[in-house]
Amino acid sequence: MLVLVAQVVAYAQTTLSAGDVVVLGYNYDNPDQVKFVPLVDLASGTVIKFTDNGWTGSALSTTEGTDTWTASSAVAKGTILTLNATSMALGTSGDQVFAYQGNATSPTFVFGLTTRPWVTGSISASTSRKPASLTAGVSCIAFATERDNGQYNVLSTTGNMASIQSAVCNTSNWSLTDSRINTFNNWSISINSFANEPAANPINLSFSAITSYSYQVGFSAVTADGFLMIRSRNGAPSAEPLDGVVYQRGDQIGNAKVITTGLTTSFNVVGTRAGEANYVQVFAYNGSGANINYRQVGPLSGNLITSATGEGNYYAAIDPASSSFISDLQNRIRTPYTKVNYDQYDETMMTNYAVSDTTGNQRVAKCVYSGQVYTYTAPFAWYTATPFSREHTWCVSWTPTNATSSAFEYCDQHHLYPVNQTNANAVRSNHPLGDVATVISSYLDGQYGYDVNGNVVYEPRDAQKGDAARAILYMSLRYNGVNGFDWTLDYLNNVTLLALGEDPQDIATLLAWHQQDAPDGYEIARNDYIASIQGNRNPFIDHPEWTQRIAFGDLSYVPMPAIVAPADDVTLIVDQAVRMDVYPNPVSEIGVIALESSSDVDAQLVIYDLRGRVVMDQKVILAEGRQVMEVNTAAWQSGLYIVHLLHPQGNQTIKWMIE
């Protein structure tokens, strides 16, 4: 008996995802043709369907045609393939081509190309909506101007899948024409293979030496070729590293920046802000260059909040109610004091605090007066190698000591800042600081001109005004009387500036700036960093309210208001006509701001985060007596906030920690 056996051959078709195939060329002029390339290997029997039916948003239309391409044998990634259409009739007034797998009622889109922009409403015979599963610039391309024929015009493209997708889906890399393309480009597409992904990510993330301006992060290594560490501020990292992409310190990944890459398992993060939430993730990787492969799943993650301040008990012996307050405070900020040489400012402040990382392992310095951003490759250099110099906020020409670079006052980092030499420092020159009403010249956010009284002044950007004011007030207090020299603002105005032919430095302006631009997280951390190397602190950053106890013209003491015996119907208020408190401190959800006033008064309550952003700003009508306000802080980012109350009797500032 003869038995016939039918042999069935089953092909293991490759299941494709969006972007696994990209189109390199098309002819809508007859005969219709599509050139495409797989970016992954295709098994024999793999089926890809091509259609010019438009996508309605929920289904393919059924008015046009579909062609089927089948791999008759295994196809290596990077192989240039051709579809000669027999069912599609590509319209020369506009049409689309979709590559997909599966059936037309439930397609799995692989790639999309349209010679007209995608539409968002109803489609026509020449238009289509973009399927949600396709991503512009990755797995689909749309041309702004309809042309019947087109081709990718980069002859040789090498890289990982993501870089090739990006290049092919960039319309600037295409040549379009209304004349049929008889001979397409001879493309070379080379897709790099990735190294094997590490089996695990590192473990045991730890934080140590946490201050307001830096912290140490470490972890335990696993078997891998290296580790990529990223950091984000005030929010967990929003993206993972891409395979095949080599990152350097400062490169951006979503909302995070790379802080180190390689085999190091510990790193000192510098340049942080006081009371700032920091989030860290570490990814293991294998390979190098274009074949680098990261383990994106389950990165080692952790977070911390930097210290709110490094003040500690520095002012434990200082009593603003004491008649010796000024001399006590002077003695406190004079000792200990370690001079940091002026020519070391780039190795100290610029390296460890004042600059930030940016892409390509570069760093960024900012001119504090104008806001100019300067990108450089470390180490930092000064004018004339770069546009930047070290600005003395209390000008060297103002010093009654005729200070040289070896003097304490010349080197004091509390009043030294990086600025553009030509367009900011030289323009400011010996001039006092003030609000410009009539502009003579400007550079970005810095201005030079006349104030409302006709005095020649220089006005820095708003973010530096309070910082500059506190630097000047500090210098006056710190050095007055040292070796018998007069550093009061009265002497500065009536002797020094007069001799220089300059207008006076308006004290009221400095105090107004001090109130309007309260110390933020950057300035607080900068004060802490300087204290770590120089030994002393700027008290007007730590205690902004202490300016109310000093008459800066002659540096005399301003006593606290006397306690007046109250009548039966008068609330007893000590020190100020208005008093403010916040509690609990720290707070996690609902906080309370308590206000006491000896009379009816209009006030303004402003709360800033440590980036200087206003999170609350409202008018408050204070009635005689005590009142409380509830504040819902649940949606606020963790960190330190500045509560600022402005009122006619004297402004007040309180630090409030949000957990």
Side-chain angles (χ1 to χ4, degrees):
M1 181 175 63
L2 180 64
V3 178
L4 299 177
V5 178
Q7 185 179 31
V8 178
V9 180
Y11 292 101
Q13 139 164 290
T14 300
T15 300
L16 300 174
S17 300
D20 283 351
V21 169
V22 295
V23 172
L24 297 177
Y26 66 91
N27 272 325
Y28 283 13
D29 287 328
N30 290 327
D32 296 344
Q33 196 174 51
V34 177
K35 305 288 283 189
F36 64 100
V37 59
L39 303 183
V40 296
D41 294 330
L42 302 181
S44 179
T46 297
V47 174
I48 305 174
K49 296 176 181 177
F50 292 84
T51 184
D52 57 346
N53 281 307
W55 179 250
T56 66
S58 59
L60 286 168
S61 64
T62 58
T63 58
E64 302 186 73
T66 300
D67 286 282
T68 300
W69 178 90
T70 303
S72 58
S73 60
V75 177
K77 59 187 176 183
T79 303
I80 310 302
L81 303 170
T82 302
L83 173 76
N84 294 308
T86 57
S87 296
M88 289 191 297
L90 300 172
T92 55
S93 60
D95 214 339
Q96 60 283 321
V97 173
F98 288 116
Y100 71 94
Q101 287 186 315
N103 55 58
T105 58
S106 182
T108 299
F109 288 105
V110 179
F111 194 81
L113 177 148
T114 176
T115 57
R116 286 190 170 190
W118 303 111
V119 298
T120 56
S122 299
I123 68 173
S124 67
S126 59
T127 62
S128 174
R129 299 180 71 166
K130 182 181 77 66
S133 59
L134 297 182
T135 303
V138 176
S139 53
C140 66
I141 186 170
F143 298 107
T145 302
E146 195 283 326
R147 291 290 183 267
D148 297 350
N149 316 285
Q151 63 178 329
Y152 177 61
N153 61 19
V154 181
L155 297 182
S156 179
T157 306
T158 300
N160 57 54
M161 181 183 291
S163 65
I164 293 174
Q165 290 169 337
S166 176
V168 172
C169 293
N170 184 345
T171 57
S172 64
N173 289 337
W174 281 68
S175 298
L176 307 178
T177 177
D178 282 327
S179 299
R180 190 178 192 281
I181 301 172
N182 293 314
T183 303
F184 281 101
N185 288 329
N186 184 22
W187 297 287
S188 172
I189 306 294
S190 179
I191 303 96
N192 293 325
S193 298
F194 297 133
N196 293 328
E197 184 177 281
N201 275 315
I203 58 175
N204 300 329
L205 188 70
S206 64
F207 300 106
S208 59
I210 301 171
T211 67
S212 60
Y213 53 86
S214 69
Y215 58 87
Q216 188 79 22
V217 57
F219 58 88
S220 298
V222 295
T223 302
D225 289 342
F227 310 101
L228 176 78
M229 188 187 303
I230 64 174
R231 174 182 67 130
S232 59
R233 293 169 162 174
N234 298 314
S238 61
E240 301 83 28
L242 296 175
D243 294 334
V245 178
V246 177
Y247 296 96
Q248 293 180 296
R249 178 176 171 179
D251 287 348
Q252 199 82 28
I253 300 178
N255 66 337
K257 282 188 175 183
V258 175
I259 58 175
T260 185
T261 182
L263 288 172
T264 180
T265 58
S266 65
F267 190 80
N268 190 39
V269 179
V270 300
T272 58
R273 309 292 185 260
E276 176 184 69
N278 276 230
Y279 298 79
V280 172
Q281 287 186 341
V282 188
F283 300 84
Y285 65 81
N286 281 331
S288 61
N291 75 342
I292 196 167
N293 193 346
Y294 301 93
R295 184 172 180 84
Q296 289 96 344
V297 177
L300 179 62
S301 302
N303 63 82
L304 78 156
I305 297 177
T306 58
S307 301
T309 176
E311 175 186 331
N313 62 358
Y314 184 80
Y315 302 104
I318 304 300
D319 181 6
S322 169
S323 60
S324 62
F325 168 67
I326 291 178
S327 59
D328 293 342
L329 188 56
Q330 285 175 318
N331 291 333
R332 170 71 284 200
I333 64 177
R334 288 172 181 167
T335 305
Y337 177 93
T338 301
K339 185 182 74 172
V340 179
N341 289 338
Y342 177 75
D343 59 8
Q344 291 294 304
Y345 191 77
D346 48 331
E347 287 85 1
T348 55
M349 183 62 68
M350 301 303 289
T351 299
N352 296 322
Y353 192 72
V355 299
S356 58
D357 294 330
T358 190
T359 57
N361 202 28
Q362 293 185 301
R363 310 207 79 189
V364 170
K366 179 176 285 188
C367 169
V368 297
Y369 281 169
S370 68
Q372 178 203 358
V373 171
Y374 173 69
T375 302
Y376 69 96
T377 300
F380 189 81
W382 296 107
Y383 187 81
T384 60
T386 74
F388 276 39
S389 65
R390 290 149 285 192
E391 160 71 335
H392 292 85
T393 310
W394 183 289
C395 303
V396 174
S397 61
W398 291 8
T399 60
T401 56
N402 296 313
T404 64
S405 59
S406 62
F408 281 13
E409 59 269 31
Y410 193 99
C411 303
D412 197 317
Q413 296 211 359
H414 282 298
H415 81 128
L416 287 176
Y417 288 93
V419 296
N420 180 291
Q421 170 59 30
T422 302
N423 298 314
N425 195 10
V427 176
R428 191 265 167 113
S429 186
N430 303 319
H431 307 313
L433 301 180
D435 293 305
V436 172
T438 304
V439 177
I440 297 175
S441 68
S442 64
Y443 177 66
L444 300 180
D445 294 331
Q447 298 185 107
Y448 163 63
Y450 300 100
D451 66 12
V452 292
N453 297 315
N455 295 318
V456 174
V457 295
Y458 182 83
E459 180 180 355
R461 64 190 179 110
D462 289 345
Q464 184 64 16
K465 288 179 177 176
D467 307 52
R470 285 180 283 275
I472 290 175
L473 300 180
Y474 158 84
M475 291 294 288
S476 176
L477 180 71
R478 162 68 176 83
Y479 291 101
N480 186 56
V482 175
N483 295 323
F485 287 100
D486 192 330
W487 283 72
T488 65
L489 292 177
D490 281 349
Y491 185 87
L492 173 68
N493 288 333
N494 298 327
V495 178
T496 307
L497 290 178
L498 190 63
L500 291 171
E502 297 285 350
D503 291 315
Q505 172 61 65
D506 187 63
I507 301 173
T509 296
L510 295 180
L511 293 173
W513 287 0
H514 168 64
Q515 295 291 344
Q516 294 161 10
D517 176 28
D520 59 13
Y522 177 90
E523 190 180 5
I524 292 169
R526 181 181 183 275
N527 190 32
D528 289 344
Y529 172 68
I530 293 173
S532 75
I533 60 173
Q534 193 169 277
N536 73 334
R537 306 181 64 84
N538 183 336
F540 306 120
I541 297 172
D542 295 320
H543 290 276
E545 72 279 8
W546 282 356
T547 59
Q548 300 175 46
R549 304 276 67 83
I550 303 172
F552 284 96
D554 59 4
L555 287 178
S556 60
Y557 177 62
V558 178
M560 291 185 175
I563 300 175
V564 179
D568 293 341
D569 59 346
V570 177
T571 301
L572 177 64
I573 301 295
V574 180
D575 180 21
Q576 295 169 332
V578 177
R579 173 173 288 173
M580 174 175 64
D581 193 14
V582 297
Y583 60 87
N585 197 2
V587 61
S588 57
E589 291 187 4
I590 303 298
V592 173
I593 300 176
L595 303 167
E596 285 184 285
S597 179
S598 60
S599 61
D600 295 347
V601 63
D602 290 346
Q604 194 75 20
L605 183 68
V606 186
I607 302 179
Y608 305 88
D609 68 13
L610 287 189
R611 291 188 179 181
R613 297 173 298 193
V614 175
V615 298
M616 181 176 176
D617 185 357
Q618 69 180 61
K619 184 177 181 180
V620 180
I621 301 176
L622 300 177
E624 181 181 344
R626 179 179 173 86
Q627 57 186 302
V628 297
M629 299 172 53
E630 283 194 350
V631 179
N632 188 347
T633 66
W636 296 7
Q637 296 285 351
S638 299
L640 189 67
Y641 289 73
I642 305 297
V643 185
H644 197 44
L645 184 68
L646 299 91
H647 56 89
Q649 283 76 23
N651 304 328
Q652 293 158 59
T653 300
I654 292 179
K655 301 169 186 175
W656 204 5
M657 176 61 74
I658 309 300
E659 293 182 323

